[in-house]
Amino acid sequence: RSFYSLECMTCNNSYFICEDIKQKHLLKRNDIFSVNRQLNPQWGVENQKVIYPQQVNDPRIPNPSKYMPDDVRNMYKEAASVFSLSPRSSAALIRLTLETLLKKHLVNDGKEHSLNIMIGMSNSQQPELVTEFMDMIRKSGNEEVHPKYEQLEHEWGDITKDTNKEEVLYLFNYINSICDLLGIANKMQSDYDALPDSQKRAIKNRNYKYQK
């Protein structure tokens, strides 16, 4: 394993790089580098990463939805910033992102409710798929923060189980999809309301005809 200190000639920022060097052929340890300190062609770099400054934003995390309110977006970005360091913390923050969306923008009745109750209260005002996404976030967030007692390894509790990063990445997609669906639905409703009354009556009569 080799470490390098690099300095950007444009911004003068310093970076520390770690490389894992894998042997391609059986050689002595001191044969890794040739006389001029270049990597021997019989060795290869298996992995390279920046270890300082910490790279916090995983490129797999999507940008927040354009329909996401500003306070919800700030919480989303915080969840994204800790994903590489702690996926469990990221999952908990996505749960809090959903709670912020519900409490301040969808329910917003000034009262305290659990996340489960707020999802139920908003259910009739949104597409069924939105509610399903919300429940997936609630379930996954709860499991990361409150593991089931019967699944713990001993009586004192063990929350050191590995978090599935791929599953946490889905949570970012879920909250984005929720905001997209709600934003599109609101736009559609606004456009529909702007139709002339004669067109809306014709649509209503057509629908009534095929509901029989």
Side-chain angles (χ1 to χ4, degrees), residues 39-53:
L39 186 64
N40 190 306
Q42 297 186 76
W43 291 74
V45 175
E46 186 179 49
N47 184 39
Q48 183 185 74
K49 65 179 179 179
V50 177
I51 57 175
Y52 179 85

Side-chain angles (χ1 to χ4, degrees), residues 2-204:
S2 297
F3 298 87
Y4 303 90
S5 175
L6 306 178
E7 184 173 304
C8 177
M9 298 178 66
T10 301
C11 65
N12 295 323
N13 287 333
S14 295
Y15 297 86
F16 291 92
I17 309 295
C18 173
E19 285 185 346
D20 291 326
I21 301 173
K22 184 179 181 181
Q23 185 177 3
K24 295 182 179 178
H25 302 284
L26 185 60
L27 294 171
K28 294 181 180 179
R29 179 76 179 173
N30 57 7
D31 287 336
I32 295 178
F33 292 95
S34 57
V35 176
N36 62 359
R37 301 302 295 164
Q38 296 297 314
L39 186 64
N40 190 306
Q42 297 186 76
W43 291 74
V45 175
E46 186 179 49
N47 184 39
Q48 183 185 74
K49 65 179 179 179
V50 177
I51 57 175
Y52 179 85
Q54 178 68 47
Q55 305 298 296
V56 294
N57 288 325
D58 192 296
R60 294 173 294 176
I61 296 177
N63 291 325
S65 165
K66 67 177 182 179
Y67 297 108
M68 193 175 287
D70 289 341
D71 52 351
V72 179
R73 183 180 292 108
N74 290 337
M75 191 69 66
Y76 180 96
K77 289 180 177 180
E78 183 178 348
S81 72
V82 301
F83 175 77
S84 297
L85 299 173
S86 174
R88 178 180 290 115
S89 299
S90 191
L93 284 168
I94 284 294
R95 185 187 185 282
L96 188 57
T97 300
L98 173 61
E99 192 169 350
T100 301
L101 176 66
L102 283 159
K103 182 176 293 184
K104 295 188 175 181
H105 300 279
L106 298 180
V107 176
N108 195 22
D109 62 356
K111 299 178 181 179
E112 290 294 326
H113 304 287
S114 69
L115 179 57
N116 186 45
I117 295 299
M118 286 193 291
I119 292 174
M121 292 172 67
S122 66
N123 177 56
S124 62
Q125 306 167 19
Q126 60 206 15
E128 183 178 357
L129 185 58
V130 169
T131 302
E132 292 175 357
F133 282 147
M134 288 181 174
D135 278 315
M136 290 304 299
I137 292 175
R138 179 181 63 84
K139 175 180 177 296
S140 298
N142 287 348
E143 288 176 351
E144 293 300 332
V145 181
H146 308 294
K148 294 180 180 178
Y149 182 81
E150 61 269 18
Q151 294 177 352
L152 301 180
E153 293 184 3
H154 52 75
E155 62 180 345
W156 300 108
D158 182 4
I159 57 173
T160 60
K161 72 179 182 67
D162 291 335
T163 300
N164 189 323
K165 284 190 173 184
E166 297 301 322
E167 292 299 322
V168 176
L169 285 171
Y170 273 112
L171 303 186
F172 287 92
N173 288 306
Y174 291 159
I175 191 69
N176 263 328
S177 296
I178 289 169
C179 292
D180 283 342
L181 289 167
L182 292 176
I184 292 171
N186 290 337
K187 176 67 166 59
M188 179 276 298
Q189 188 63 54
S190 177
D191 290 346
Y192 182 84
D193 290 342
L195 291 175
D197 290 341
S198 58
Q199 290 188 22
K200 286 188 284 189
R201 282 195 300 270
I203 293 171
K204 184 177 180 180

